[in-house]
Structure formats: structure tokens, C-alpha cells
Amino acid sequence: MARKLPATDVVIVGLGWTGSILAHELTEAGLNVVAIERGPWRDTSSDFPVTHAQDELRYHIRHDLFLRPAQETLTFRHNARQTALPMRTWGTFMPPNGVGGGGVHWNAETWRFLESDFVLRSHLTERYGEKFLPEDMTIQDWGITFADLEPHYDKFEYLCGTSGYAGNLGGQKRQGGNPYEGPRSREYPTPPQKQPFGPTLWAKAAVESGFQPFPQPSGNLSQAYTNPLGVTLGPCTYCGYCEWFGCGNYSKASPQVTILPVLLRKENFKAQTLCTVQRINTDSTGKRATGVTYIDSNGEEWEQPADLVLLCAFQLFNVHLLLLSGIGTPYDPNTGQGVIGRNFSYQVTSSVDGFFEDKNFNPFISSGAIGMCIDDFNGDNFDHGPHGFVGGGYIGAVQTNGRPILSTRGPAGTPSWGAEWKKAVAQHYLSTYTTVTHGSSYSYRDVFLDLDPTYTDIFGRKLLRMTFDFHENELKMSQYITDRLADITQKMGPKVMEKHPRKGPYDVNVYQTTHTCGGAVMGDDPKTSAVNRYLQSWDVPNLFVFGATAFPQNAGYNPTDTVGALAFWGADAIRNQYLKNPGPLVHA
Amino acid sequence: MGKRASTAATRRRTLLAGAAAAGFLGLFTRGNALELQGMPAWDPLSGPPPDIVKPGPWQFFTAEEAVAVEALVDRLIPPDPHWAGGKDAGCAVFIDRQLAGPYGRSEGLYMRPPFDDTATDRGPQSPFTPAQRYRRSLAGLDKHCEGAYAGKSFAQIPDAEKDKLIGALQSGAVALEDSSGRGFFELLLQNTKEGFFADPAYGGNRDMVGWRMIGFPGARYDYRDWIERHNETYPRPPVAISGAPQWTPRQG
């Protein structure tokens, strides 16, 4: 029996980027907010100080900052004919855990999606015709436009202090920025990061090839910056420990260094850590959420009643909680009906390795969002007509580190051990440079999330089950953009170059990205979306679902900027529309 | 800020979930559920530095196992005139301490049944922990060598034979009793490279040999003065989490 706590105005599940933003915005509106976080409290000086933050084994290899699969995991299968098996350890992606969520250990690549990404199905259908899309591709429009989201992208970037150079300022194209980006209302908060040798050399090759390379937008800051909340971040030191690591320098944008120091001091906010939400409670009609039930680390069960429930957990676990709570109709791939678990998507990454003879890249001098890129092969920035696929990605020189356990290698044919291996890694470590693509992952009828029939978590709840594999369209896309990347990388002058386009089947052992998306997507139609354009549940209007969970499909960019922007967009809708008149903000 | 546990007596414990959730406690540096209101104070021991490995007796391996592992890591990363091999780099010590710790016990991993370890395309599904896998595989290796090399152990056979056998484990040509030879090879190789390149705090990478060999400056945390010095050799020697030899003046 859960013991009932005093009611609060708002309960937030998960205190990462979206939970922190929502908590801040709604406490500003005068509401009492309680956030419930499954993992521990974390801060820079205690948890990842510069004295030991730079530990590849502990943080990267042994996953110290991440969710423990023993706490919660999911099962995986390539298709509905297979039996799903549990992810017993993490491989292909790394779900976050603890205060700050993925914001603690991301690379901080801070990209906006393209204008056409938000109206993807209409745009592609108009340009190429309905028949150009694979029959089982279930991409759709978001229900919002880039213009709707622009002020909120701006808010998130100014919260973070993002370093970059605008390529489109209010409709004016500017040399040195991304010519394909949607119009920005103002310049980036801070100038671009400095570039090490690799990106500089690649950018030169890109210019020679007729492209306009630009610096990748970075949440690792080029200089000290004080954000609108009065919180100050320090300059990045190019240490090469970003993704998988907490930043000891206060220079990577995270909830810890942008928003929590303000939020935690508010009297109308509190957080519970190491408490796992079991379910969202609803009243007898099933149309109203009454709060959440959670279990703390002593095993005691609590009910937190609230007028408003905000799901701000990691993408996968938002979907898990919706399914466990019986909110919304679960997706059925046989009929195509139902929305919870529908349109799961991922990211399609690839790389090109260049082994050089006369170059020293000092790969350890880097940041997680360093690099020079081009966007000519992203989204629908190029004519797909001749190619027979849709989608794309940014490509460029964004090697983020030189940490030796995972980055030492030799060209193909190098043995994996013995004297020859030793000689090869000693010879190639400083003189190898890897360029990358970051491709879109569109949604399909047979790719989805549901509950596993066999495996349970430590609370006895059914695990989430993922059914996913790459489709022909994505593999063709990856081949094409990897070839274009290689065209440019070749001009850097490697002695040996190796292309690694993404190949199927999906390999869960190999890290790709933690950009899992969808499963409770946003849209205009309750038949094909779980939440409306304001991230509000169609079924339970006092429940909102944030994060990449809402992406109808994933674009060829890292998702966090869009996740942050959607959090501000949803917060704005709650503050300025919902609170005045609690109820559905859109009538289907 | 107050700890929830302070009024625990008034609360009803859910037994099943309680036992399960109590399992979390060992998984985190910070132990118990906290209610945060106001900024928590800096807590110097809440996110502790790594447990620095100390020299001393084997903590996991038996003496015989240790001899075999030292011989194995010294073939996976053989010594050469410039750089130490796996044995002198401390790779076996590293593996020993890892197996004696949370890694060896698969702590934090999902270890609930059913296990289908015939499946190879949906992530690792072994019911065995790394510690169990080493114990079984080393026993299997011993047995194999005894039969194949007239009663000799792995460490006693010539290097060329050792390499042949490792190659046969890698290719799957030699299977070990009770364990997959290839699976053991892959685990051992991964752990050996971890030991060669991880911070010396963990018992391997002795004298930062792995880092010096490739030119990695280690746990340095500030390259602002070097970011725009392109195609130049970085001049400073590596440092580790616990420092560098040149930081400690010699006595006398």
C-alpha cells in the first residue's frame, strides 16, 4: 500500500534537461513542483571534479554515470519473428540516470532541425510524390513548424550558451555559417570553438570541393558565459572527455551548470532522488491523471498526487511508463492501429577512417562538439530524385576524443593482438583521423516499442521491448552520404582510407548513438500521434510527455537542441494556455 | 534538505519491492533516496576517486591461474625492445583486481533468467559473470594444455606454440571444456587492452607505458594553449589521476 503524500500542483518524472526546464518554467509561474528522479543527485565538484573526471575505464568502459541494467533495461529483437532478449549490458546506446540525465554526459552537439524536417511527409510528397516513399514508411508531420519552435530553440541555446556562427540570420545568409539552416532570430550566444588540426584540414578539403563548411554548434563553450538565469559557465579546455563523462570545468552545458543552481534554491521546488516512478495514476474515468506512485531506495512505496503530470524521463522510459500505466492505445503493428510505441526511430551513423603518414592530429585535443561540417547532404537539401531514397545527414570532421582504450587501431588487416598489433597502434594513434556522418532514421510500420511478455524488472514490471532494424532506405542513404564524406576526406591525403557506411542488421553490441526517438509522437491526429502539438496527451489532458519521445521520426542531427526547444515550447503552452483553462489545448 | 529515512518507522515497507530496491544501494556511490530542497552542500566523499589498486597478493586468481594469465597477456601484448609487454605493464594485476571487484560480479547488469546464450545477434546473454568465465576458461585451458603438450601448462610451452594456441582459440578451432574458447579469447583481449591503456590507478599501464607508447598525455585536462598548434608533436609527458613521477621529488 502506498502512503499518500501531500498533493502538489505539478509532478515531474525525471530530472534531466526537460524536467529541469519544465520545473524552472512552472515554478516561475508560481506552481509547486516536485520532481522524482530514479538516479542519484550529481554535481560537478563532488561527482566529476577535474581530479578524476578523466577516467576512460570508469566512465566510458564501465558506464559509471549510466542507468544500471539491473535497475531497468529493455529487451530487443530485429523483427516480430524473433524472440526478444534483454539488453543485459549497454552497447548500442547508453540510457542516462541521475539528476541532469543525458545532459551530464552528452557530447553537446547542439543542432537545430531543418524547416523541412518538421513537415517531412508533406514536403517529400509534394516534391517527389507519395509513391517515392517506401510503402511501409510511416513518417509524418510534427504538427508544428520550424517557425513555431524558433523562439524556443533560441531560449534553449541561450540557456546553454551555445558556441557557433549563424548561417542564416533573420533570412540573411552569412558566409561561414550553415547556409541550409532555418532563419535564426539572433546570433549564437558565444562564438565557435577553436578547431584542432583534423577539422581544419577537412574544412580546407571541403572548400576545395566547392562546399561551405562551418563549425559544428557546440555546447562546450568557446568562452565564459553568463546565461539569462545568471548562471556562469567556464571556457572549454579541449580535454577530450565529453561524451560518457561529466565535465569538471563547468564548461559543457548541462542542467547542473545552467539551471539547477537556480531551480534548487526555489522554495516551490523539491526533488526526490533514487525514487523510481512505478506508474502514472488515473481516476476512474481514465481521462485524468491523479499523480504518480513511486518506490524509494528503501523499498517504500509513495503516492504523489498532482494536478499536472509531466513525463520527462529518457525517451524509452517515457514510453515504458505510458504502457505500464495503460494510458493511450498501445500500437499494434498488424493493424497499424494504436499510438503508444508507434514510430520508434533511431539514428544512422557512419564513418570514414583516414590513416596518414605525415600528419599528427593530436586526437586527444578535442571537445565533444568540435568540428567542421557541411549540411549539403542532410534532410532534403539535395535532390533525392536520382537516388531512390529519402533522408540524409550532416557530414564532417567531428572526432571528439583520443581516449586510448577504444580509439587505438590500425588499418584493415592489422591483427587484433601480438607484436604486429602493438607496432600498428603505436604507429597510427596520432596520425589517424576519422570523419563521420550523422544520418536520419525514418519511421516504419514494423518498428515499434511494446511490453515484453517474458522478462521483468526488479519491481516485477514487464520490461519494454524494442523491435527495430535498419531499412533499405536508411542503408542506401548511409552508403550515399558516406561516399560523399569519403570524396572530401580523400582530399586530406590519407595513405589508406576506409569507408564504413552503416550496414544491417542493427548490431546492439556496437555503440552508435543514444538518440532513440519516438514511441509517443506528436502530431495533429490522435490516430497517429499520442500527444498533440503541445506535447499534451490526447487521452489524458493533464499529462504532457516531453523529450525525443515526441519525434515522429529522427532527422540527420543530434536531438538535444530540439528536445530542449520542445521543452520550452510545451512549458510556454502550459503557462500561457493550459493554466488559464485546464483541458485539451487542441480539439481533435 | 532532509533524509527520508529519518521517519522510516512510520512507513509501511513493501517487502518484495523493498528487497529488490535495496539491491540498488550497492550500485550507487550515493546511497539513499534524498529529498532535495535547496542546493545540496558540497560533499567531498560522495563521488569518490577511483579505488587505487595497491600492489600485493592476487585477489582473484590462484597462483596457477595468475601464471597462465601473465603468460597470456604477454603474448597478446608481447614485450619489445622499447615497450613493456602485457605482463610487465601489469595487465594481469589489472584483470585480477577487476575480477575481484564489481566488474567480476557483473554488478549492475541485468542477470535475470531465462538465458538464451545460443543467440548471438541480440547482445551478450551469458548467465556467467566475468569472474566465473575466467575461472572456467582457465581450468579448461589448463586441461587442454595438459593433453596437447604432454603435461605442460600454458606458461611452459614455447612462445610460438602459445601464439598458435591463442590463434586457435580466436578462430574457434580449439574449444575449451565448459566454455567457449573464442568467447574467452575475446574477453581476455578486451580486458588486456583495458589494462594496457586504462589509468595506472587500476593496476595496469605501469609507468604509463601504454600512453607513452602511443603519445597520449593521459589525464591532462587543459589543452587551450595547444588547440591551434596544428600538426605539432605535443611535448609534455603523460600524467595519471594520481600524478606523474616527475611531480614527486626524489628523497635524498
Side-chain angles (χ1 to χ4, degrees):
Chain A
M1 236 336 246
R3 185 173 154 173
K4 209 162 181 166
L5 291 157
T8 184
D9 297 325
V10 184
V11 66
I12 292 180
V13 182
L15 191 56
W17 267 130
T18 60
S20 304
I21 290 168
L22 266 298
H24 176 73
E25 290 293 311
L26 299 185
T27 46
E28 287 296 292
L31 300 179
N32 288 311
V33 176
V34 176
I36 299 169
E37 165 57 47
R38 172 157 60 189
W41 163 248
R42 291 200 166 109
D43 71 4
T44 307
S45 57
S46 309
D47 291 272
F48 25 87
V50 292
T51 48
H52 66 256
Q54 56 281 53
D55 184 340
E56 184 183 15
L57 183 78
R58 174 180 182 175
Y59 295 108
H60 191 164
I61 310 291
R62 300 283 185 258
H63 309 167
D64 194 75
L65 292 172
F66 295 88
L67 182 68
R68 305 294 195 262
Q71 263 180 290
E72 193 66 60
T73 186
L74 64 157
T75 66
F76 165 75
R77 56 182 182 171
H78 287 100
N79 55 62
R81 296 179 301 281
Q82 268 188 334
T83 302
L85 296 177
M87 293 190 171
R88 298 185 178 278
T89 185
W90 302 123
T92 170
F93 50 75
M94 301 288 308
N97 191 45
V99 174
V104 169
H105 46 66
W106 67 318
N107 258 334
E109 296 157 296
T110 314
W111 293 87
R112 295 179 175 195
F113 288 6
L114 295 168
E115 290 173 287
S116 57
D117 285 331
F118 292 98
V119 288
L120 189 65
R121 180 168 280 274
S122 330
H123 173 90
L124 292 177
T125 306
E126 192 182 322
R127 182 163 178 186
Y128 303 107
E130 185 78 35
K131 288 217 166 67
F132 194 73
L133 301 178
E135 184 270 325
D136 58 345
M137 186 184 269
T138 51
I139 55 171
Q140 59 196 51
D141 296 359
W142 291 52
I144 54 170
T145 62
F146 175 87
D148 289 328
L149 210 51
E150 201 285 333
H152 306 283
Y153 271 130
D154 179 81
K155 253 191 174 162
F156 183 66
E157 290 157 5
Y158 270 74
L159 179 78
C160 292
T162 311
S163 298
Y165 186 77
N168 182 341
L169 207 47
Q172 292 289 320
K173 297 282 174 81
R174 295 159 93 220
Q175 193 68 35
N178 179 0
Y180 294 97
E181 69 178 359
R184 289 174 178 272
S185 49
R186 51 179 168 162
E187 181 53 279
Y188 280 94
T190 55
Q193 289 205 276
K194 290 175 179 165
Q195 299 297 339
F197 184 42
T200 305
L201 199 61
W202 189 86
K204 200 167 150 260
V207 169
E208 283 165 16
S209 309
F211 296 106
Q212 281 185 49
F214 56 89
Q216 174 170 230
S218 172
N220 308 306
L221 302 199
S222 57
Q223 60 187 46
Y225 171 74
T226 302
N227 75 15
L229 304 184
V231 186
T232 299
L233 291 83
C236 170
T237 62
Y238 305 94
C239 76
Y241 291 88
C242 293
E243 189 180 26
W244 321 84
F245 302 84
C247 176
N249 284 324
Y250 302 83
S251 43
K252 176 169 74 177
S254 69
Q256 274 77 357
V257 298
T258 60
I259 193 163
L260 291 172
V262 173
L263 176 63
L264 282 166
R265 288 185 169 87
K266 292 181 173 181
E267 286 188 351
N268 53 344
F269 175 75
K270 69 179 175 187
Q272 307 285 359
T273 58
L274 292 174
C275 291
T276 308
V277 172
Q278 300 293 300
R279 63 187 166 275
I280 303 151
N281 301 315
T282 45
D283 69 7
S284 57
T285 67
K287 298 274 175 214
R288 184 176 167 74
T290 55
V292 301
T293 296
Y294 67 89
I295 291 180
D296 71 17
S297 58
N298 290 321
E300 289 161 28
E301 199 176 37
W302 300 84
E303 186 187 337
Q304 175 61 68
D307 290 333
L308 195 53
V309 177
L310 310 181
L311 268 188
C312 294
F314 182 66
Q315 175 270 337
L316 293 167
F317 304 113
N318 279 343
V319 179
H320 191 216
L321 271 178
L322 288 168
L323 290 167
L324 290 171
S325 308
I327 293 174
T329 310
Y331 175 66
D332 179 348
N334 298 311
T335 62
Q337 306 290 306
V339 290
I340 310 298
R342 182 175 176 275
N343 274 28
F344 174 75
S345 62
Y346 189 46
Q347 195 91 67
V348 182
T349 57
S350 72
S351 60
V352 173
D353 290 329
F355 297 91
F356 295 76
E357 277 199 320
D358 53 345
K359 306 265 188 302
N360 180 345
F361 294 102
N362 289 325
F364 45 85
I365 303 178
S366 198
S367 100
I370 205 112
M372 295 296 287
C373 303
I374 63 169
D375 220 12
D376 298 71
F377 302 104
N378 208 338
D380 199 36
N381 294 343
F382 60 105
D383 182 7
H384 288 74
H387 304 304
F389 67 82
V390 288
Y394 70 79
I395 69 178
V398 296
Q399 185 171 316
T400 61
N401 74 88
R403 298 184 301 263
I405 297 175
L406 289 187
S407 68
T408 41
R409 73 223 126 122
T414 304
S416 62
W417 58 280
E420 286 305 308
W421 169 83
K422 196 179 179 193
K423 206 174 122 197
V425 297
Q427 182 192 335
H428 292 289
Y429 172 73
L430 293 171
S431 56
T432 300
Y433 196 81
T434 297
T435 53
V436 303
T437 80
H438 203 85
S440 54
S441 169
Y442 289 167
S443 40
Y444 292 90
R445 184 171 167 149
D446 63 354
V447 170
F448 61 100
L449 302 171
D450 64 356
L451 291 175
D452 191 88
T454 306
Y455 292 94
T456 54
D457 69 11
I458 56 168
F459 302 105
R461 307 181 298 180
K462 290 178 173 178
L463 294 185
L464 188 69
R465 174 170 68 179
M466 172 188 294
T467 304
F468 176 80
D469 205 349
F470 294 121
H471 280 231
E472 190 57 33
N473 179 78
E474 274 58 41
L475 298 176
K476 273 187 183 168
M477 178 278 294
S478 185
Q479 181 70 55
Y480 179 74
I481 69 173
T482 306
D483 287 343
R484 300 293 75 74
L485 175 69
D487 294 343
I488 300 171
T489 304
Q490 184 68 57
K491 291 204 166 81
M492 295 169 78
K495 177 154 191 278
V496 176
M497 189 178 77
E498 292 168 9
K499 297 195 249 188
H500 306 286
R502 184 61 57 192
K503 300 277 190 200
Y506 175 49
D507 184 352
V508 291
N509 291 312
V510 176
Y511 186 77
Q512 294 166 48
T513 71
T514 302
H515 307 162
T516 56
C517 299
V521 311
M522 63 195 295
D524 285 333
D525 181 352
K527 288 200 189 71
T528 54
S529 58
V531 296
N532 65 26
R533 68 194 303 261
Y534 301 110
L535 294 312
Q536 180 183 37
S537 162
W538 288 110
D539 299 279
V540 178
N542 67 331
L543 170 71
F544 287 71
V545 186
F546 291 92
T549 313
F551 293 9
Q553 58 276 331
N554 197 11
Y557 298 105
N558 311 65
T560 301
D561 201 12
T562 304
V563 166
L566 284 176
F568 278 110
W569 159 259
D572 182 75
I574 293 170
R575 284 180 74 166
N576 296 314
Q577 297 182 58
Y578 180 85
L579 291 179
K580 288 177 188 146
N581 186 15
L585 298 176
V586 179
H587 291 277
Chain B
M1 170 176 125
K3 281 200 178 182
R4 261 293 162 77
S6 58
T7 53
T10 63
R11 284 172 197 154
R12 185 173 165 163
R13 178 173 283 261
T14 315
L15 269 180
L16 177 71
F24 284 167
L25 299 182
L27 302 179
F28 292 103
T29 316
R30 293 160 183 267
N32 256 319
L34 277 184
E35 181 173 306
L36 299 173
Q37 205 165 13
M39 199 69 187
W42 178 59
D43 186 355
L45 292 176
S46 62
D51 207 2
I52 305 276
V53 161
K54 292 174 191 67
W58 300 103
Q59 292 182 5
F60 174 78
F61 293 132
T62 64
E64 293 74 25
E65 286 171 339
V67 170
V69 173
E70 288 197 317
L72 283 162
V73 300
D74 225 29
R75 292 318 301 159
L76 293 178
I77 306 180
D80 64 50
H82 302 288
W83 307 109
K87 178 181 172 184
D88 285 343
C91 292
V93 177
F94 168 88
I95 296 172
D96 177 70
R97 302 307 198 262
Q98 289 290 308
L99 294 177
Y103 171 77
R105 298 188 291 271
S106 289
E107 217 168 274
L109 303 191
Y110 185 84
M111 294 298 279
R112 294 174 157 245
F115 289 90
D116 176 5
D117 59 359
T118 60
T120 53
D121 63 344
R122 280 154 279 170
Q125 298 295 332
S126 171
F128 300 108
T129 65
Q132 291 166 331
R133 292 176 64 192
Y134 269 87
R135 186 123 290 154
R136 294 159 71 100
S137 301
L138 289 170
L141 182 70
D142 220 26
K143 215 161 179 187
H144 174 84
C145 290
E146 240 171 62
Y149 305 104
K152 284 188 177 151
S153 71
F154 179 80
Q156 289 167 330
I157 62 177
D159 284 351
E161 287 300 316
K162 287 180 188 148
D163 288 357
K164 239 189 245 170
L165 177 50
I166 292 173
L169 292 172
Q170 178 179 19
S171 69
V174 164
L176 301 176
E177 192 178 284
D178 285 342
S179 83
S180 147
R182 184 186 288 172
F184 175 59
F185 165 83
E186 285 167 3
L187 181 67
L188 177 72
L189 181 62
Q190 174 200 326
N191 293 153
T192 303
K193 288 181 184 176
E194 288 167 3
F196 199 68
F197 289 122
D199 194 279
Y202 297 100
N205 193 10
R206 197 170 288 157
D207 300 325
M208 298 182 261
V209 59
W211 294 352
R212 287 186 290 118
M213 181 180 95
I214 60 174
F216 176 63
R220 290 185 183 278
Y221 213 56
D222 191 346
Y223 297 112
R224 278 174 293 181
D225 58 347
W226 211 262
I227 177 79
E228 292 184 308
R229 297 187 64 165
H230 293 169
N231 207 15
E232 290 183 49
T233 302
Y234 184 78
R236 297 182 193 116
V239 296
I241 287 172
S242 53
Q246 67 270 25
W247 293 1
T248 312
R250 286 175 192 279
Q251 294 295 311

